[in-house]
Amino acid sequence: MRNSLIRKSEAGQTIQIHPVTPETLDTVLEKLGAAAKSWISLNGYSAAEGASIIVPAGEGGQAAVLFGTSAGALPHAFALGGLAGSLPAGDYELAQPFPDPEQALLGFALSSYRFTRYRANSAAQSRLVVPDDVDIDRIHTILDGVAIARDLINTPSNDMGPEELAAAISKVFEANGGKGSVIAGDDLLAQGFPMVHAVGRASDRAPRLADFTWGDENAPKVTLVGKGVVFDTGGLDIKPSSSMLLMKKDMGGAANVLGLASMIMAAKLPVRLRVIVPCVENAISGNAFRPGDILPSRKGITVEIGNTDAEGRLVLGDALALADEESPELLIDMATLTGAARVALGPDLPPFYTHDEDLAEEIALVSEASADPLWRLPLWQPYMKYLDSKIADINHVNTSGAGFAGSITAALFLSRFVENAGSWVHFDIFGWTPIERAGKPAGGEAQGIRCLFDLLSERYPVTK
């Protein structure tokens, strides 16, 4: 994606992309010449919002691209992404003034993403020149983080097991001067992660917990926890085949927190960053954990298993307990946790949960400004009774509430493992774009991390 945006010094001869509305179309055509005006008339182009047309160079004229906008604004944040796959290979630049140039550039670049690990993309792509007054380094930082998340999610589970996911985390941290460790197999029991071990032990690919840090030890502590279930069969409560088809994306929370971590480190935000990811495969064998089992947890809470297909909250419980032990200023977790969140809000609008009213308002404002949609749902305490167990401290699924409020009760379960963090926020993401559109190619998706990067950049600005 970053290669789709270039500096002026890197460009060859460029073709300008002109913003037009029905009111300004004739004025732009006067500048482009009579041949352009005839071409537009012949093609019936009316400058509708989001509509584009390539105008060939006529005698005494110049080639151009016309893109329909509204008065001083893009049709939507990433609308220019629609051009990324339709323009012939070459270098293009935004005619000035162009509305919302940073969002236009970002939309174009996000739409230029291709997952090429298994299928080469040899076709030359169009490139867009970044104006001098736009921070290209920051945009590249965002694009690199998004690419990490998308690439990891798109990689099939045969090539993305617990070991490979942990290695990907290590690689990103080592590239930025971070360090950490990976606990594997039965060592998880010895070091206090019984739920991570229980979920992952049935696979012939040993479970792991990756724990990496970066930054000044005395800086504010920001900790990211991601669900790293590389494939989810559902366990003994096995999923039907149709529900397994996208389960390579069940490590989307881990992919997204790593993408966000990449942005934080590349921007050198003045924080003490920590990333904790339980990396497991929820498989089936003779030693798989069972419905009705009682599991101990790192927190000391005993957990009754109501359904083995709700494994993500189990591994997150141990990971959140570890993160909470050092009382970070801000604790963020991301997980492809519940189908209930998709039923409530669909694939494009992830819910988030927090007790911190100021943080919730900040997320809402930055989410809108960054065109990274998020929606707050309540940690509704009366629903905590749905997690009651008669023989353990808690059941990890809704056993008495007729199965309602699945995303809320999952968040409430996680909240039991956090008590020391200054602020905690949980994101129940989908991590996938089912239908391609501008800025969002079909497949693995980064959700919430552009918003969080902007939020963290505002909270912890880099001093020069």
Side-chain angles (χ1 to χ4, degrees), residues 80-442:
L80 201 69
L83 291 180
S86 61
L87 293 179
D91 293 340
Y92 299 82
E93 63 179 319
L94 304 177
Q96 299 300 322
F98 201 96
D100 300 325
E102 188 166 334
Q103 292 284 33
L105 293 162
L106 196 55
F108 185 89
L110 289 171
S111 290
S112 299
Y113 170 83
R114 300 292 183 273
F115 182 58
T116 60
R117 178 168 177 174
Y118 302 96
R119 184 176 179 178
N121 179 40
S122 57
Q125 289 185 276
S126 50
R127 306 189 302 176
L128 193 55
V129 173
V130 176
D132 292 337
D133 59 349
V134 174
D135 187 347
I136 188 173
D137 292 328
R138 180 175 175 81
I139 293 180
H140 279 165
T141 292
I142 294 171
L143 294 175
D144 289 345
V146 170
I148 286 171
R150 287 176 173 178
D151 284 349
L152 288 174
I153 296 170
N154 283 327
T155 302
S157 300
N158 59 311
D159 286 332
M160 184 55 63
E163 181 178 6
E164 289 81 5
L165 180 55
I169 297 165
S170 176
K171 181 179 179 181
V172 170
F173 270 81
E174 289 177 1
N176 288 278
K179 60 183 180 180
S181 61
V182 177
I183 306 168
D186 289 344
D187 287 346
L188 290 165
L189 291 174
Q191 297 192 44
F193 303 97
M195 293 199 295
V196 178
H197 183 271
V199 171
R201 72 192 182 202
S203 173
D204 61 1
R205 302 190 288 183
R208 286 165 165 74
L209 185 125
D211 184 1
F212 284 79
T213 57
W214 170 90
D216 185 347
E217 293 182 3
N218 298 315
K221 292 181 173 64
V222 174
T223 300
L224 313 178
V225 174
K227 174 187 171 184
V229 179
V230 298
F231 192 81
D232 181 19
T233 65
L236 292 175
D237 288 309
I238 191 169
K239 296 177 183 287
S241 174
S242 60
S243 297
M244 280 194 218
L245 287 175
L246 284 183
M247 282 302 99
K248 69 177 184 180
K249 78 169 186 64
D250 215 22
M251 37 64 69
N256 272 270
V257 300
L258 186 57
L260 176 57
S262 169
M263 297 178 191
I264 292 169
M265 292 185 286
K268 295 180 170 51
L269 299 189
V271 299
R272 175 63 168 178
L273 174 66
R274 187 180 188 185
V275 168
I276 301 171
V277 175
C279 309
V280 301
E281 179 176 24
N282 188 22
I284 299 173
S285 69
N287 68 341
F289 75 116
R290 295 164 290 265
D293 282 357
I294 306 292
L295 299 183
S297 69
R298 182 177 185 84
K299 188 72 173 175
I301 299 169
T302 56
V303 179
E304 182 181 8
I305 301 304
N307 189 310
T308 63
D309 194 21
E311 82 299 327
R313 66 198 72 180
L314 297 173
V315 299
L316 284 175
D318 274 352
L320 284 170
L322 172 65
D324 192 58
E325 287 166 9
E326 68 169 3
S327 304
E329 182 172 296
L330 178 59
L331 174 55
I332 298 168
D333 84 74
M334 306 189 84
T336 53
L337 205 60
T338 69
R342 313 289 80 78
V343 172
L345 298 176
D348 301 331
L349 185 59
F352 70 93
Y353 299 84
T354 182
H355 291 297
D356 187 328
E357 297 297 327
D358 292 337
L359 176 60
E361 183 176 0
E362 193 175 359
I363 290 172
L365 292 172
V366 178
S367 167
E368 183 174 359
S370 61
D372 196 2
L374 298 163
W375 195 265
R376 188 186 186 188
L377 289 182
L379 284 161
W380 184 248
Q381 291 302 310
Y383 287 163
M384 188 71 85
K385 67 178 181 294
Y386 292 163
L387 300 174
D388 285 349
S389 168
K390 294 181 179 179
I391 56 174
D393 293 327
I394 194 171
N395 198 300
H396 82 307
V397 299
N398 180 347
T399 58
S400 60
F404 294 128
S407 182
I408 294 175
T409 52
L412 287 170
F413 175 81
L414 295 179
S415 72
R416 290 289 301 273
F417 297 86
V418 179
E419 59 180 346
N420 300 315
S423 295
W424 165 65
V425 58
H426 159 62
F427 294 84
D428 189 343
I429 67 171
F430 190 46
W432 192 264
T433 296
I435 301 172
E436 184 162 338
R437 57 201 181 280
K440 293 181 174 291

